Amino acid sequence: MENKKEMKNWLDDFKLNHPLVIAGPCSAETEDQVLKIAHELKNSDVSIFRAGIWKPRTRPGMFEGVGAIGLKWLQKVKEETGLLIATEVANSNHVKLALDHDVDILWIGARSTVSPFIIQEIADALEGTDKIVLVKNPVNPDLALWLGGIERLYSANIKKLGVIHRGFSTYEKTNYRNNPEWQLPIELQNRFPDLPLICDPSHIAGRRDILQDISQTALDLNFDGLMIETHTNPDKAWSDAAQQITPKVLIKMMEDLKMRKITNEEFDYKNSLNTFRTQIDVIDHGLLDNLGKRMKVAIEIGNLKKKKNVAVLQTKRWNEILGKMILDGEKKGLSEEFILRMFKAIHQESINHQKRVING
Ligand code: PEP
Ligand code: MN
């Protein structure tokens, strides 16, 4: 791809002293809901109103969006508040309807970015327009796939482009709904310094309490903007209830966020720390998982012992386990003292479980 200087120009229209802020509900639910949220956001640093109309739900049977009727509500938002409007498109029909309803910014969701066919279809449908298009990262941490999406749009002459980092899904449970792998968007930014970079802390977090932290990290890493899901009654939202915040909370959060630049060294430190912490979270979760499984097995043994009327504590077997674990632990750099203390605690918990079974 050539130099993309022109790509950042559209951003200049929004950027004053603040990062670009896109806010609004995960899903448009009713006309009232959409307008109420928009009015609460209109006199803030938010310049773009978002709402999903067609929702790509992972499993069928969940709320899949209100469909095209929601576009009329978005148009009303623009008329009544002056906010620009944004929605997700996932096929050429969505694009056509969004264009018919004067949607200003179209974003491509994480489940669409994984598919070159879908991106190409959207790019073809947009050719010849001057819409702003934001491409979310694919669900999997594949930089080439993300870049490929941008390239397909760029080749269709869509020059007002940006990317949204919404985190990557992992099989293992971590602290995040979608793990932020900051090195990917940063790599993208190094390659294309003029490609606006937006962070979506809502889909990274999956919950409210760490939105501010993630947003601050994004700003520290020189992101150009934030997309944050906002709802006047978050707990009752029809989708992504746990991660939405009220407009009031969002406005307070924006006041508290600091614009500061960090050095490369600080970035490396923060990034490595974050990577290691995620690894620790995964390992800790695995430890608990295994301990839980171990207790279930202990209960089964308890059932057997009850039938056979055998005592819970079997000293010989226990000493054998301990001896083996001390030797094994040594190979892994774990001290005898630690192994003894840890296995005593685990053993005690097993005994407690078995006693409960045997004593009914
Ligand atoms: C959304 O923005 O509501 C959405 C569905 O996001 P993602 O594509 O990141 O999952
Ligand atoms: Mn959502």
Side-chain angles (χ1 to χ4, degrees):
M1 256 187 310
E2 355 158 2
N3 182 351
K4 298 227 195 118
K5 200 120 209 103
E6 65 226 277
M7 290 195 309
K8 214 149 196 159
N9 292 345
W10 67 266
L11 201 62
D12 293 338
D13 298 342
F14 302 97
K15 252 176 108 178
L16 305 159
N17 295 320
H18 299 284
L20 175 74
V21 186
I22 306 169
C26 177
S27 304
E29 298 165 4
T30 64
E31 182 172 342
D32 273 359
Q33 171 245 16
V34 166
L35 288 171
K36 197 163 168 219
I37 299 169
H39 277 282
E40 287 196 29
L41 292 171
K42 74 178 167 210
N43 295 318
S44 70
D45 292 333
V46 173
S47 39
I48 302 171
F49 184 80
R50 67 148 280 158
I53 302 294
W54 301 285
K55 299 303 297 177
R57 307 311 298 275
T58 302
R59 308 280 304 273
M62 295 192 267
F63 174 58
E64 295 193 324
V66 292
I69 186 156
L71 295 168
K72 295 218 165 43
W73 308 340
L74 284 179
Q75 273 183 308
K76 246 190 176 166
V77 165
K78 187 152 52 169
E79 277 162 32
E80 291 186 14
T81 67
L83 291 165
L84 294 187
I85 51 176
T87 201
E88 173 174 350
V89 291
N91 60 41
S92 55
N93 191 43
H94 294 167
V95 171
K96 188 184 170 302
L97 286 163
L99 294 176
D100 287 349
H101 290 81
D102 247 343
V103 173
D104 303 289
I105 292 115
L106 288 73
W107 84 79
I108 297 176
R111 292 162 195 78
S112 300
T113 310
V114 291
S115 165
F117 285 139
I118 290 179
I119 298 265
Q120 193 59 54
E121 179 181 327
I122 293 171
D124 292 343
L126 278 166
E127 190 148 18
T129 71
D130 72 340
K131 289 293 163 187
I132 300 169
V133 183
L134 305 175
V135 183
K136 286 200 171 196
N137 64 254
V139 282
N140 56 323
D142 185 336
L143 186 61
L145 205 50
W146 201 359
L147 270 175
I150 298 287
E151 284 163 344
R152 283 179 197 278
L153 290 156
Y154 195 76
S155 302
N157 238 354
I158 315 294
K159 298 287 163 73
K160 295 180 182 171
L161 288 167
V163 291
I164 304 178
H165 177 217
R166 51 74 86 192
F168 301 94
S169 66
T170 50
Y171 175 66
E172 288 134 328
K173 287 265 159 295
T174 73
N175 240 345
Y176 303 99
R177 177 177 175 195
N178 291 294
N179 198 28
E181 307 226 20
W182 297 103
Q183 64 283 6
L184 268 95
I186 296 304
E187 170 72 29
L188 207 88
Q189 194 177 47
N190 286 340
R191 286 206 220 169
F192 302 107
D194 294 313
L195 188 61
L197 198 53
I198 291 160
C199 179
D200 170 350
S202 305
H203 290 89
I204 290 177
R207 53 184 229 246
R208 292 173 200 122
D209 60 319
I210 52 174
L211 290 177
Q212 172 125 13
D213 241 32
I214 298 169
S215 303
Q216 186 64 59
T217 302
L219 294 184
D220 289 348
L221 295 177
N222 215 9
F223 274 61
D224 299 286
L226 300 168
M227 181 194 251
I228 300 181
E229 287 187 341
T230 317
H231 195 292
T232 42
N233 193 353
D235 286 330
K236 292 272 146 59
W238 297 2
S239 60
D240 288 353
Q243 70 197 31
Q244 303 207 55
I245 52 176
T246 62
K248 273 200 191 70
V249 171
L250 175 72
I251 290 165
K252 171 80 173 66
M253 197 175 115
M254 288 188 294
E255 281 166 16
D256 294 343
L257 287 173
K258 295 174 194 66
M259 291 301 286
R260 55 183 187 214
K261 276 228 169 103
I262 62 168
T263 61
N264 281 347
E265 200 180 318
E266 275 171 306
F267 168 68
D268 285 343
Y269 165 74
K270 272 194 118 170
N271 193 35
S272 305
L273 194 65
N274 192 62
T275 306
F276 290 139
R277 282 187 170 155
T278 302
Q279 285 173 13
I280 294 270
D281 290 343
V282 169
I283 293 168
D284 283 350
H285 189 267
L287 284 176
L288 282 184
D289 221 40
N290 275 327
L291 285 172
K293 282 184 194 147
R294 192 188 194 283
M295 294 311 149
K296 285 213 176 96
V297 177
I299 289 171
E300 290 308 321
I301 295 179
N303 282 326
L304 285 177
K305 286 178 180 168
K306 187 177 181 178
K307 261 194 210 148
K308 278 272 173 197
N309 216 2
V310 174
V312 167
L313 191 62
Q314 312 236 298
T315 319
K316 186 165 161 275
R317 157 96 179 134
W318 169 236
N319 284 336
E320 271 170 26
I321 295 183
L322 212 50
K324 260 203 312 217
M325 288 305 158
I326 289 171
L327 284 177
D328 252 20
E330 203 174 287
K331 284 183 212 144
K332 296 185 189 339
L334 305 170
S335 73
E336 178 172 341
E337 193 223 339
F338 170 69
I339 296 283
L340 277 172
R341 272 202 290 165
M342 180 178 68
F343 274 96
K344 264 192 191 148
I346 293 173
H347 190 226
Q348 188 56 54
E349 183 70 5
S350 286
I351 290 177
N352 295 346
H353 276 78
Q354 292 192 1
K355 273 192 179 152
R356 246 174 268 151
V357 172
I358 288 171
N359 300 333

